[in-house]
Amino acid sequence: MFERDQRRVPIALPALSEPYARLARLPRPQLQPLELAGCVERAVSFETRVPVRVEPGPTLTVRGDPDQLEQVPHQSLAQLAPMPLYQQGTPVRIGLAGDGRLVEIWVEDEGPGLSSTANLFVPFFTTKPGGSGIGLVLSRQIAEGHGGALML
């Protein structure tokens, strides 16, 4: 019995350790001028599971880390992907709003909504098969690291 458990440990630990390490060592943002529309477009380009429509909005430039900030809309879209509604062609909408002082990246869908929000930001809690449970937690850390917030 001990032999079998010992063989499983090296398989299970890397699956948990990589997401934990990524979450625990989020580097300080490398701030630079960043046009948010380009950031959103790049994040959307990785989403192939659901149709996504980028809504026209204002041209907004902020000081931010492009590698980190792209993760926020990317992870938000990843949360929507399993819903069967999108397989029927109903697009998810994403866009920008802001007035120069405050900036918002928003995602809107026609889905049924969340049944419970109690565990949304609990690290490693997931309801998705194969999910790591760090997407929204990481996104929140990134937003807060840039002086913002993540709200659902």
Side-chain angles (χ1 to χ4, degrees):
M1 187 91 164
F2 181 74
E3 289 293 319
R4 187 195 311 178
D5 289 344
Q6 190 176 23
R7 283 195 309 263
R8 282 193 227 167
V9 170
I11 295 169
L13 286 179
L16 289 175
S17 64
E18 178 54 35
Y20 179 76
R22 185 173 166 210
L23 184 62
R25 66 170 186 237
L26 183 65
R28 181 179 223 149
Q30 300 300 306
L31 302 179
Q32 61 188 47
L34 175 66
E35 187 180 322
L36 282 179
C39 180
V40 168
E41 290 283 349
R42 283 187 297 280
V44 168
S45 73
F46 292 109
E47 181 53 63
T48 59
R49 297 165 288 180
V50 298
V52 179
R53 183 173 67 216
V54 179
E55 297 292 334
T59 300
L60 299 169
T61 302
V62 298
R63 290 193 47 77
D65 185 315
D67 294 331
Q68 288 186 13
L69 284 178
E70 284 176 21
Q71 285 298 309
V72 177
H74 173 73
Q75 292 297 333
S76 297
L77 292 170
Q79 302 306 310
L80 304 169
M83 296 182 179
L85 175 71
Y86 305 113
Q87 295 174 3
Q88 298 171 6
T90 303
V92 173
R93 297 173 47 233
I94 188 168
L96 299 170
D99 61 8
R101 286 183 313 112
L102 298 174
V103 174
E104 177 182 25
I105 300 173
W106 55 267
V107 178
E108 185 177 276
D109 70 334
E110 307 261 338
L114 299 166
S115 59
S116 172
T117 59
N119 294 313
L120 281 179
F121 297 105
V122 174
F124 306 108
F125 178 84
T126 184
T127 58
K128 294 180 355 188
S132 67
I134 66 164
L136 289 177
V137 177
L138 183 65
S139 294
R140 177 182 258 180
Q141 280 188 344
I142 291 168
E144 290 173 352
H146 284 80
L150 179 65
M151 296 177 286
L152 300 177

